[in-house]
Amino acid sequence: MFNHSFSISGARRAIREASGRILALTLVMGIAMLPLTGKTQSQDSLAKKVTEYAADKFAERRPFSIDYKQYGNYNASSTLRGQDLPDGEFTQWSQLSASANINLFQNRRWLVQANGFYRYVSAEYNFPKSSAAPSQTVSRDLHYHTEGLNLTYFSKLFGKTAIYSGSINMDWSERSLERVRGTFTGAIVLKANNRTKINIGILYSTDPSMFIRVLPTFLLEHKFNESLMADVFLPRYAYLRKKIFGKGRLSAGWELDPQTTFFLDDLDENGTTYQYRQVDVNPGLLYEHILPASIILSLRAGVRINPYARTFEKDRSFTDYTWEGRADAAPYVNIGFSFNPFAKPKK
């Protein structure tokens, strides 16, 4: 079973290792946003409303966000090419990530955005080579980043508002460009009034590392009163949200995190590039608070459930894997800051 210790030294190391890359992303995206911010906020269009709505739902869809997460210790088992490996323990797993979004162009029908995402993972794993051997410790520091463009088109379908979106992204390891992938989505707004919003849609990804490449999507937002609402977007999250303290919001529920991925090129003598992908389900509590200058503070805590962690050759699929790991549930804590120009405290 896992214990509940968190590594302060690990947090300091993660922040120190990733600070240069985070600073670079902040400066580049921040400078780029300056001539666009005024236009984005002043334009009253469907594109602006969708941008504002997405920024409320997802921190990574805001102009800028930074996030740090730390897990408690947890045990893990794994197999390599179908053979069981000795069980081990993760004594350190922390990750620091940053994202940025820029609205390049928007009008009544079109929205064009540039985006960037960076994640740094620091991991430490204890495992024995055999049942009779003492444990040894392996430490890894891993970097992954992706940049791309997203194009959204607004139309009508059967008299309802329809939203079509396509994106192209370049995924990078520490050494080079590893993959160019595309994602395409379509959604139709079935209902939208002051109390209830319902959307249905479909998502398709060209990325072979995705566990499921075609997914139906469903969005439901229902306000029970001015301060309490149900907010569901499947398969990404489901929350019950309550506005508190005028500038705060407390949410209880769960969120799916499929974005923990990176590339590995030192696992065999052939120089094969492998991809690691981990899919986490994070039930817990989330508190968000509006700070001055439209900065959102996010505090999150709960238990991480890790149903899938796999390593496979880069050009193969998630189901054609070489290594598979399964981990015990682990507690986590999370702190983040993001810039949301649409944030409005409750009066």
Side-chain angles (χ1 to χ4, degrees), residues 5 12 40 60 71 90 97 102 122 151-152 165 179 189 196 235 259 270 281 288 291 341:
S5 63
R12 291 173 178 169
T40 300
E60 65 267 25
Y71 299 119
F90 277 91
S97 59
I102 303 171
S122 176
L151 178 67
T152 304
S165 180
R179 173 179 292 126
V189 181
T196 305
Q259 297 187 29
N270 301 322
V281 181
E288 300 163 283
L291 302 175

Side-chain angles (χ1 to χ4, degrees), residues 143-160:
H143 306 270
Y144 164 82
H145 62 99
T146 182
E147 293 80 34
L149 287 172
N150 185 76
L151 178 67
T152 304
Y153 177 70
F154 306 95
S155 183
K156 291 286 186 179
L157 183 65
F158 308 121
K160 304 288 187 178

Side-chain angles (χ1 to χ4, degrees), residues 6-232:
F6 292 91
S7 171
I8 300 300
S9 61
R12 291 173 178 169
R13 184 177 65 172
I15 294 172
R16 183 172 63 251
E17 290 286 340
S19 59
R21 290 178 170 85
I22 298 292
L23 179 60
L25 180 63
T26 304
L27 290 175
V28 171
M29 302 303 271
I31 292 172
M33 283 191 296
L34 289 177
L36 299 168
T37 304
K39 181 178 180 180
T40 300
Q41 293 181 344
S42 63
Q43 202 165 2
D44 186 16
S45 64
L46 181 57
K48 178 180 178 295
K49 293 177 182 178
V50 169
T51 303
E52 178 179 353
Y53 192 77
D56 178 63
K57 305 298 180 186
F58 307 101
E60 65 267 25
R61 296 291 296 274
R62 296 166 187 167
F64 182 76
S65 69
I66 184 170
D67 181 272
Y68 176 77
K69 180 181 288 185
Q70 170 113 21
Y71 299 119
N73 295 12
Y74 58 93
N75 294 334
S77 60
S78 61
T79 60
L80 178 64
R81 297 184 175 91
Q83 300 296 316
D84 290 339
L85 298 176
D87 293 351
E89 180 188 24
F90 277 91
T91 57
Q92 162 71 15
W93 183 288
S94 59
Q95 55 193 44
L96 185 65
S97 59
S99 64
N101 286 276
I102 303 171
N103 284 7
L104 301 177
F105 172 79
Q106 64 183 45
N107 62 19
R108 198 170 64 89
R109 293 287 187 186
W110 295 94
L111 173 63
V112 182
Q113 298 171 305
N115 59 76
F117 176 84
Y118 166 77
R119 173 169 283 173
Y120 165 76
V121 171
S122 176
E124 190 172 273
Y125 182 58
N126 289 335
F127 70 98
K129 286 187 174 180
S130 67
S131 58
S135 295
Q136 64 176 350
T137 300
V138 175
S139 299
R140 295 296 300 264
D141 295 319
L142 300 151
H143 306 270
Y144 164 82
H145 62 99
T146 182
E147 293 80 34
L149 287 172
N150 185 76
L151 178 67
T152 304
Y153 177 70
F154 306 95
S155 183
K156 291 286 186 179
L157 183 65
F158 308 121
K160 304 288 187 178
T161 298
I163 304 171
Y164 308 97
S165 180
S167 65
I168 183 168
N169 282 78
M170 297 179 292
D171 293 342
W172 300 76
S173 66
E174 298 177 50
R175 299 194 313 169
S176 62
L177 173 66
E178 300 291 352
R179 173 179 292 126
V180 178
R181 57 182 170 85
T183 303
F184 307 93
T185 64
I188 184 169
V189 181
L190 299 181
K191 185 175 183 178
N193 57 40
N194 292 334
R195 292 195 62 189
T196 305
K197 295 180 177 63
I198 301 175
N199 295 4
I200 58 170
I202 192 167
L203 178 149
Y204 169 73
S205 175
T206 66
D207 186 353
S209 72
M210 294 292 291
F211 178 52
I212 301 176
R213 295 172 63 178
V214 180
L215 280 171
T217 62
F218 173 75
L219 182 147
L220 169 64
E221 179 186 296
H222 180 73
K223 295 180 180 179
F224 300 102
N225 52 49
E226 288 300 315
S227 63
L228 182 65
M229 65 178 289
D231 188 3
V232 177

